[in-house]
Each structure stands twice: as C-alpha cells, then as structure tokens.
Amino acid sequence: MNLLKALRIKPRGFLVAVYFILMDFSAFQKILIRNILKKYLENKARIKGEVFRCNALEGESAYDISINSDMTVSCNAQDYNGSGHIGDLNKSSLKEIFEGKIVNDFRKKLDEGKLPLIICARCPELVSAKKNKIKNKKNTVPSEGIMIENTVACDMMCKSCERETLLGCRKKISLSLNDLEKIAKEVLENKIKSVCFFNLGEPFLSKNIYQELEILKKHNKKLHIIVSTNGLHLDTDEKRKAIKYINHIAFSIDGVNNKILRKYQTNGNFETSYGNMKALVDYRNKNNLGGVIEWKYVLFNWNDKKVYIDQAIKLAKEAGVNKITFWPTGNPLWGISWRYYVKSYFKKFGLKNSKGVIEVNL
C-alpha cells in the first residue's frame, strides 16, 4: 500500500500499477496508460457514487497553478502539451481566468464525476468523495502560492522529460521584465503568499534572474520565494546575488558522481552542480545573507544504495548546505527505488514527512 500511495495510485488498481511498471515508456504508451487510468477512476467514482474536486482550481494549492514562460496559465505543473491551459495573462487577469469558461468547464466535469484531463488521474490535487461531502470554493485564485516559469529553456535532458512536446506548445521561451512587472502586480492584488520560481525550465538559464526576483520583491516585500535548480548554470556572482531575494533554494542533484547522476539527468555534471552549490553557500555566508540551501536527491533504483546515501550526506555536510532531502518518485516507474520501501536503513536517518520525503538537517 505504501508503494501504491507513493505512485499516487492509492487503491486505484494494483494491476494498473504493475502494467505501468512493465511498459516501455514511449509517448504513445504514456498516453495510452494514462487514458486507461483515467477511465478506471471515472468508472470507480460512478460505481461508488462519488465526484471529483481539484484543490488547485479551488484555490487551495500552493504549487500546481503555473504562470508559464509565454504568460499562459496552467492548472498543473506537468502541462507539457498545453492541455491544462486555463487562460492567458496577456488577455485576462488571474481573477478573470478563475471566473472564466475553461475553469468552470473543468469544475463542471469534476462535479459530474469526470476528469477533464488525462493528467488529472495522477495529479496530487485530485480529491474524490461523495457529492454531498465535496465543498467547492468557486472562482478562487490561490492565495497560498503559485508557480512562475521564468524560462522553459533547459539543457539537462532528463529521461522522462517531454521537452520536444513542451517547446512546441510555448509561444515564448522566457518571460520579459515587463511580464514580471505584470505578474508581480497580480501577486500583490491576489494577496499570494509564496511563489515557486520554477516549473519546466532551468531558472538560472535566464540572464535576468536577479532583476526578475527583484521586481517580484519590489511589489511584494513579504513574498516567500522558492527556487529549484539543477545547479549547472548558477556559476557567477551576478547570478549568486539572487540569493538576496530567495528564501529557499533546492539543488536537484540525483547522484554522487557523474556515472550515477547521468542515468536520469542525461546532460548533468555532478562536479559542476555540486561545485556551484558549494560556491553559493560560500557566497551567502561571506555576504551575511539568509536563505535555506537544500540538496534535493531524487531516489531511483540506481542511486539508492546505502553507500551512496551515506556519501551524499557526507558531501552535503562538506558543502555546508542547510539540509539534504531524499525524494521517492514514481516517474519513470521503471526507475522506482524499491530499496526505499524495503531496506531498513531508510528508517534510520532523517525525518520523513507526509509526502514520504526524508529530510536530514545539517
């Protein structure tokens, strides 16, 4: 049951999960299996007399609503093909988007026990329950937090990334500073508390990242800003000074050497990313700046042996980061860390949160 929960399948069909694991993951097969899972959930809801609710569309998510690099707005953080577009900030405000036809059509389908998108079947924002127990907050912009994709550019080429499809649906690679001004005012008007300044690109490929964050903070002095990076391009003091505006930055480094890391992060370089992470710690400390610096280590069945975990913790301490976290994942399913579920050493270090992430404070 723990494995199924981690896959966001819960009791959504053990046979479906097994089939997913055994499949080869071409784009066609992904679509096929997601459609199968979507139909399964809809039929299950119909039999049980249940309907669906989306926390993101009801304004209760702090993560999945994303303002994309071309100013379109998506209802989920994995909108590679644009099917989750709910509006465009070039044409409408956030409030108008959440009161608009697309969002209301999505809500209507959920109220009928149907999933508007195939990605909904694996989305953590999806909730199912008896109709009289579903409480909807109509036309609510999420005040807890949103995502801002300052650029969709990325050269990492991770194994499960659908980059070609993604680039085909973005009209613009990066946000302009004028775009950021408009977004910053939307954040202020809707009293949004936090921003995840990343999505499907590498934030530090933008040469203007310092100015972008400065604009957000200028209009929203108390805004909590979180950034996720692969670390490859955070390589100059001009970019490091962005830590002035960042409350929390996570370096996604999925291994302790190049051989291991490149099994998923194909164009990654451990020495470069680790070195840039360490350099940011030194820059922060030298300039008496704040900001939590985290090493985010996603677990796969090739990087999860005890010797690698121990080495990662040792290297994290040497780098001087605030914490290292170990993340189980179901994507790609053929890479799932089975040791995370069966090996006892994963119970002997750090603290596990409700998402199953093991956090080691240093």
Side-chain angles (χ1 to χ4, degrees):
M1 290 300 292
N2 286 338
L3 176 58
L4 295 180
K5 184 177 181 181
L7 299 181
R8 297 174 180 170
I9 295 175
K10 299 179 181 176
R12 296 178 182 176
F14 179 73
L15 291 178
V16 174
V18 172
Y19 183 54
F20 220 140
I21 293 169
L22 294 177
M23 292 282 285
D24 178 45
F25 291 92
S26 68
F28 171 76
Q29 289 165 333
K30 281 185 179 180
I31 294 171
L32 174 63
I33 201 67
R34 286 171 181 172
N35 269 304
I36 291 172
L37 187 55
K38 176 178 179 290
K39 291 297 183 184
Y40 171 80
L41 290 177
E42 289 175 339
N43 288 330
K44 177 172 172 281
R46 179 177 55 81
I47 292 169
K48 296 181 70 174
E50 294 181 340
V51 295
F52 298 108
R53 177 182 187 272
C54 174
N55 287 333
L57 294 181
E58 301 301 333
E60 294 185 359
S61 170
Y63 183 78
D64 272 289
I65 298 295
S66 174
I67 299 174
N68 302 318
S69 63
D70 58 359
M71 294 289 276
T72 56
V73 180
S74 292
C75 64
N76 68 86
Q78 296 295 314
D79 190 18
Y80 282 94
N81 61 10
S83 62
H85 285 178
I86 56 175
D88 188 331
L89 280 180
N90 286 317
K91 302 174 182 177
S92 311
S93 68
L94 275 177
K95 186 174 186 296
E96 289 169 338
I97 288 170
F98 273 78
E99 292 174 346
K101 183 178 186 304
I102 297 175
V103 169
N104 283 319
D105 284 349
F106 281 6
R107 287 192 181 115
K108 183 179 179 182
K109 285 188 177 181
L110 293 166
D111 286 341
E112 294 171 351
K114 299 176 182 177
L115 301 182
L117 308 172
I118 61 173
I119 194 65
C120 294
R122 300 191 72 232
C123 181
E125 308 295 352
L126 184 69
V127 177
S128 61
K130 297 290 185 181
K131 189 173 182 63
N132 61 357
K133 293 185 178 180
I134 289 281
K135 295 181 180 179
N136 295 322
K137 294 182 177 180
K138 298 295 184 184
N139 309 324
T140 304
V141 177
S143 60
E144 289 302 314
I146 60 169
M147 306 184 80
I148 298 175
E149 181 186 80
N150 67 325
T151 181
V152 76
C154 185
D155 53 4
M156 184 64 83
M157 295 302 293
C158 295
K159 293 293 185 184
S160 61
C161 180
E162 301 173 35
R163 188 135 303 268
E164 186 175 343
T165 302
L166 172 63
L167 293 176
C169 79
R170 290 286 193 272
K171 299 174 185 176
K172 197 168 62 165
I173 296 296
S174 300
L175 295 170
S176 68
L177 294 182
N178 286 337
D179 291 336
L180 261 297
E181 285 280 355
K182 186 171 185 176
I183 292 169
K185 291 173 183 177
E186 286 282 346
V187 170
L188 177 63
E189 182 177 339
N190 291 286
K191 299 180 180 180
I192 295 171
K193 300 173 186 175
S194 71
V195 160
C196 290
F197 199 72
F198 61 93
N199 188 18
L200 297 177
E202 167 49 49
F204 286 93
L205 275 173
S206 170
K207 63 181 181 180
N208 297 320
I209 188 167
Y210 179 83
Q211 294 97 317
E212 292 163 357
L213 294 173
E214 185 177 43
I215 289 169
L216 279 175
K217 280 287 193 178
K218 177 182 71 175
H219 292 282
N220 306 274
K221 297 189 186 305
K222 294 183 180 180
L223 184 66
H224 188 88
I225 297 178
I226 304 163
V227 177
S228 180
T229 175
N230 59 45
L232 286 179
H233 303 282
L234 212 173
D235 52 2
T236 65
D237 280 354
E238 182 64 24
K239 290 182 178 179
R240 291 182 191 109
K241 71 178 184 179
I243 190 74
K244 174 181 177 181
Y245 299 116
I246 297 172
N247 299 91
H248 191 135
I249 183 168
F251 284 75
S252 293
I253 307 174
D254 302 334
V256 293
N257 58 49
N258 276 336
K259 183 178 179 181
I260 295 171
L261 181 142
R262 288 175 178 167
K263 287 188 177 183
Y264 183 75
Q265 295 174 306
T266 306
N267 290 343
N269 186 296
F270 175 79
E271 288 79 11
T272 300
S273 293
Y274 178 79
N276 287 339
M277 181 173 68
K278 189 173 182 179
L280 183 64
V281 172
D282 293 340
Y283 181 90
R284 178 196 63 180
N285 295 345
K286 179 182 177 182
N287 291 280
N288 295 314
L289 299 172
V292 172
I293 300 176
E294 170 191 348
W295 178 350
K296 179 182 177 182
Y297 190 110
V298 178
L299 294 166
F300 301 102
N301 55 41
W302 52 79
N303 70 359
D304 60 352
K305 293 181 180 178
K306 187 176 186 300
V307 62
Y308 300 145
I309 301 301
D310 290 343
Q311 187 176 355
I313 293 173
K314 179 176 179 292
L315 287 168
K317 289 178 180 177
E318 291 175 359
V321 297
N322 297 88
K323 64 175 71 175
I324 181 170
T325 54
F326 297 92
W327 295 63
T329 182
N331 189 22
L333 290 184
W334 47 262
I336 287 174
S337 167
W338 56 267
R339 293 181 183 87
Y340 170 84
Y341 300 99
V342 302
K343 291 294 184 178
S344 61
Y345 59 82
F346 278 105
K347 300 177 182 179
K348 296 179 180 179
F349 66 92
L351 298 173
K352 185 182 292 188
N353 66 21
S354 59
K355 294 182 180 180
V357 177
I358 299 173
E359 182 174 307
V360 182
N361 292 303
L362 304 173

